Amino acid sequence: MEENKIKKLKKIVVWIVQMLLFAIFTWAGFMKIFKPNDLPFPWIKDNVILVLITGIIDLLAATGILFPSLFNSKSRLTVYSAYGIIALMFSAITFHICRGEAKDVGFNIFIIIAALFIVWSKKQL
């Protein structure tokens, strides 16, 4: 009985993390595509095409991290999306370090940890 409660709690935490990542990437994607000038990041004005491309990638990440699990189909796509998010965040960290913005990578590291949690938990459940 106790094991079922722990498994249920794990599932709830996984859903919360997935919804958090979905919200973050949906917001980031829409902002980068439709209102890039409202974003406070200095690199936005220097890289207009990169902003659009990363906006599209962010929306794909948001879709992939939540919808396969939500519709109970091909939940391994959620894991692949989490791997993609990890790769995206490592790319963002590299980009920021190359621009001398190493102080701005904390959020990227948080997202990597959340995506790793999704990968780990999906393999456990």
Side-chain angles (χ1 to χ4, degrees), residues 5-101:
K5 287 182 181 182
I6 292 171
K7 192 169 185 176
K8 190 173 184 176
L9 180 61
K10 269 188 191 177
K11 284 184 179 185
I12 291 169
V13 172
V14 169
W15 274 106
I16 290 169
V17 173
Q18 283 180 259
M19 287 187 282
L20 175 67
L21 288 175
F22 173 80
I24 289 168
F25 280 100
T26 300
W27 174 83
F30 277 114
M31 289 300 290
K32 288 176 183 174
I33 292 171
F34 298 112
K35 293 187 166 199
N37 293 330
D38 291 350
L39 293 170
F41 312 121
W43 63 272
I44 299 266
K45 292 167 184 52
D46 301 337
N47 303 289
V48 177
I49 298 297
L50 182 61
V51 174
L52 179 61
I53 291 169
T54 58
I56 293 167
I57 291 171
D58 287 348
L59 290 177
L60 290 172
T63 303
I65 203 70
L66 185 65
F67 288 133
S69 294
L70 186 65
F71 295 122
N72 244 355
S73 66
K74 309 264 189 226
S75 66
R76 71 177 179 269
L77 292 177
T78 299
V79 174
Y80 297 150
S81 180
Y83 283 133
I85 287 170
I86 292 165
L88 178 64
M89 291 300 106
F90 275 116
S91 299
I93 288 170
T94 303
F95 176 79
H96 288 302
I97 289 172
C98 288
R99 287 181 48 91
E101 302 167 349

